[in-house]
Amino acid sequence: MLDSEIVDEQSINEDSYDGLVSLIEASKGILSLLIASCQPGDFQTQMINRYEAELAPKIRCYRVVLNQKEPSLRAALEQLVQDCPELKETHASAVITVTGTEALMEFVSQSDSNHRSELNRFFGYLQWTREGLREFPYPIVLWVTPNILSRLSLEAPDFWSWRSGVFRFVAPAVEATGVVNQTGEISLLIESERRETLPLEELLDQVESLEQQAMETPALATLYNRVANAYANRVKTGQAQDDTQEIDRAIHLFEKSLALQRKLNLPTAESDTLLQLGDIYRDLGLWEQVFPLYEQSLEIARSLKDSLREAAALGRLGNLYQQLGQFLDTKDERDSDKSEEENPLEYVEFIKELLLAEAESNSDITVVYPILAQRQHLLNPRFSESLQKLAEDLIAHQNSETIELIFSLIENLSMNISNFSLGSRANNLEVAITGYQIVLSNREPGSEQFARTQNNLAIAYSNRIISSRADNLEKAIAYYTAALEVYTLEAFPKQWAMTQNNLGLAYRNRIRGDKAENIELAIASYAAALSVYSHEAFPEYWAMTLDNLAIAYRNRIRGDKAENIELTIASYTAALSVYTREAFPQDWAMTQNNLATMYRNRIRGDKAENIELAIASYTAALTVLTREAFPEYWATTQNNLGLAYSNRIMGEKAENIELAKKCYENALTIRTREAFPQKHTETLFNLGNLDRSNR
């Protein structure tokens, strides 16, 4: 087993190396952002030395190390160009290698909050200075650790969208043991599964198919976990339409998985699922529900004599006890001396500091984030009370012009806090809601500003975690509806369309009322938005709304199922006229995947032709979802393509089986037992079914 693992690592590294060198050579004279991921150390240095030696005859190679105190990529590049003036003349044949992010990651493990802010600044610089990188027409290789890579798309999405390629290198292991990360969790068991956000519609379709066939198999339990993890990841990455609702769905699916695993006597899988469900409750801060789950997982692991899973459970329990101890210690300190943190004046000064920063920065959100990060513990109910009192005092002593500025700053501050990634998201949203309500109560009813604040309040209530989810969605719908009294089609067409789209999302997630009617209301809202969001005037918003409309048609209860599938296909197909491979490669690839799923389920038309269309869409998606840039998505699409080939009607049966087998084997090069145990089992199951059907 160890030999095959080494071969897999060598294959991954060689593929990544070849892809990196090829893109460097193809990017001479243009800005090309190439992200290389590897654990820091000798192996990373060897890779850099290797490609620099290979490129040296034709391409000049430069290196730069980030400044740890001000880790700006742009500043580092500017300093390099200043130190090496020949770069301005030779940029057509130069490559720049950037290192130093590994030191930022070391700071994360320390307790000093100032060190923590340095990594945040690194992400902030990446996110908000990308336009300034245009002045560096070179291929730039940015080396990051795997942990930083996993956060890049969330923390710096604009920079991430500019990447030309991602290349993952695996440093040779010293020992054949599980890798324990900084939180004490064994990444081979759980973390690799949780990092991936898979196409949710595709997963739901697979679950529905197995449930309709009453196939209570290990594969169904695996799918329950995958959908649960997809929902959890959507919440973590800010993609969820309703955080509470999607967390509830994740918990429900993990519980269904556990019930099935127990019924099928799958203790190993049950142990893993218990840990993942525990992680959900841990992130919510519900410790009393976490301990039993981790302890059950530990008991199963010990009964199986599974040292890796035992270590994973022990690591989580150890961290949980440590966190609980820190919480109790902090509580004791606060109870014994409340003079500093509990002082209301501190909250007032904190709020003034935030408002002043916003006023001076012209609402640049990156300015307030470091301030929030340093004192995120103050974002609690007392902050809301102090904000309310401060607003009342300011309004009472200011003229109308200054008051309007204060309202704008409070509203911007609320938007920043609602999007703040640190601290308690539940508390952050409560603070934001307080700010919006302060502003709304002082806005002139019927004004444009009044409608804008109502729309912001509706968004906050849609994402609210505290209180009843059903109540929150009703409030969101009410605020959206009220905003539309001002945001009319005639007076504010763009804002009207935006609010209609948001209202459609709220109706789609609505709990109260008739589900079928709510979906119809969502469809009507999306259709209204599309009367303004045209392909010509607002192409990107048009495509986004079509994508939302496709989801609504896919979930539609009323009407003919075959017709609803046709409408879904039509919406995805139309969106692809904007989501082109050139302009929006990842959106294009994901939409191709969704389209392929609908063709697989299509009722109308020729079944053989529908499968051919599904195969074509999956194949198209693979031109972007490559093994080098998106290894997990690549493996998933290979697995799905294998399913399509296994059901193919056209062509020679033997050839289709070979094509399906090749796809499954491709998927297994990423979905290894060690890295993705559940996905590995699923693909093996599909491969086994293929062999059985061929007998």
Side-chain angles (χ1 to χ4, degrees), residues 160-163 576 578-592 620-621 623-625 630:
W160 179 256
S161 70
W162 271 31
R163 72 199 183 284
L576 284 172
V578 171
Y579 286 159
T580 63
R581 190 183 189 282
E582 295 72 28
F584 301 94
Q586 192 168 353
D587 290 318
W588 175 82
M590 294 301 182
T591 305
Q592 290 284 6
T623 64
V624 170
L625 303 179
F630 303 94

Side-chain angles (χ1 to χ4, degrees), residues 20 43 141 156 185 195 221 244 287 291 310 313 352 361 390 392 400 417 430 483 491 535 587 595 641 643 685 691:
L20 177 59
F43 184 74
V141 185
E185 300 171 2
R195 280 199 300 269
T244 304
W287 290 350
F291 280 103
E310 181 180 354
K352 286 182 178 178
S361 65
L390 178 62
E392 292 172 357
S400 59
I417 292 176
E430 293 306 299
H535 182 281
D587 290 318
L595 188 57
L641 184 57
L643 290 170
F685 180 80
D691 290 337

Side-chain angles (χ1 to χ4, degrees), residues 366-605:
T366 59
V367 174
V368 300
Y369 277 12
I371 302 173
L372 289 171
Q374 290 170 3
R375 282 178 279 176
Q376 58 187 280
H377 61 280
L378 295 180
L379 295 176
N380 56 30
R382 175 156 287 186
F383 181 100
S384 296
E385 296 169 8
S386 299
L387 180 60
Q388 179 74 50
K389 183 66 169 61
L390 178 62
E392 292 172 357
D393 292 344
L394 291 172
I395 291 168
H397 298 91
Q398 302 293 329
N399 58 44
S400 59
E401 183 177 340
T402 308
I403 288 174
E404 181 55 39
L405 173 62
I406 292 170
F407 291 158
S408 297
L409 292 175
I410 292 176
E411 186 157 28
N412 287 336
L413 178 63
S414 300
M415 293 175 65
N416 293 339
I417 292 176
S418 68
N419 294 320
F420 186 50
S421 60
L422 300 179
S424 165
R425 177 157 174 77
N427 284 343
N428 294 348
L429 286 168
E430 293 306 299
V431 170
I433 287 172
T434 297
Y436 290 138
Q437 288 174 335
I438 290 170
V439 174
L440 187 66
S441 65
N442 291 278
R443 292 286 193 200
E444 180 184 352
S447 66
E448 180 184 358
Q449 294 88 343
F450 187 77
R452 183 184 66 216
T453 306
Q454 286 179 315
N455 186 73
N456 288 335
L457 258 175
I459 294 172
Y461 274 115
S462 294
N463 296 323
R464 194 184 191 191
I465 297 171
I466 293 175
S467 190
S468 163
R469 183 174 71 252
D471 287 344
N472 291 333
L473 285 171
E474 293 304 307
K475 289 178 180 178
I477 290 170
Y479 279 120
Y480 283 136
T481 303
L484 286 171
E485 294 178 6
V486 178
Y487 283 160
T488 62
L489 174 60
E490 296 76 16
F492 301 97
K494 185 176 180 180
Q495 291 88 337
W496 179 81
M498 170 195 67
T499 307
Q500 289 285 3
N501 179 73
N502 293 343
L503 182 59
L505 292 172
Y507 276 130
R508 202 175 76 196
N509 294 321
R510 194 181 193 184
I511 297 170
R512 294 182 182 164
D514 179 65
K515 183 177 180 180
E517 177 62 20
N518 288 334
I519 294 176
E520 295 304 308
L521 291 169
I523 290 172
S525 292
Y526 293 140
L530 287 170
S531 68
V532 172
Y533 286 159
S534 66
H535 182 281
E536 295 74 21
F538 303 98
E540 190 170 353
Y541 289 122
W542 178 76
M544 173 197 69
T545 308
L546 279 172
D547 190 72
N548 288 333
L549 182 60
I551 296 171
Y553 278 133
R554 184 184 184 280
N555 297 328
R556 196 179 194 185
I557 298 171
R558 296 180 183 172
D560 178 65
K561 183 176 181 179
E563 176 62 19
N564 289 333
I565 292 175
E566 294 303 307
L567 291 169
T568 306
I569 290 173
S571 295
Y572 281 136
T573 303
L576 284 172
S577 66
V578 171
Y579 286 159
T580 63
R581 190 183 189 282
E582 295 72 28
F584 301 94
Q586 192 168 353
D587 290 318
W588 175 82
M590 294 301 182
T591 305
Q592 290 284 6
N593 259 312
N594 294 338
L595 188 57
T597 299
M598 299 314 299
Y599 278 130
R600 275 174 42 201
N601 294 327
R602 196 178 193 185
I603 298 171
R604 294 181 182 172

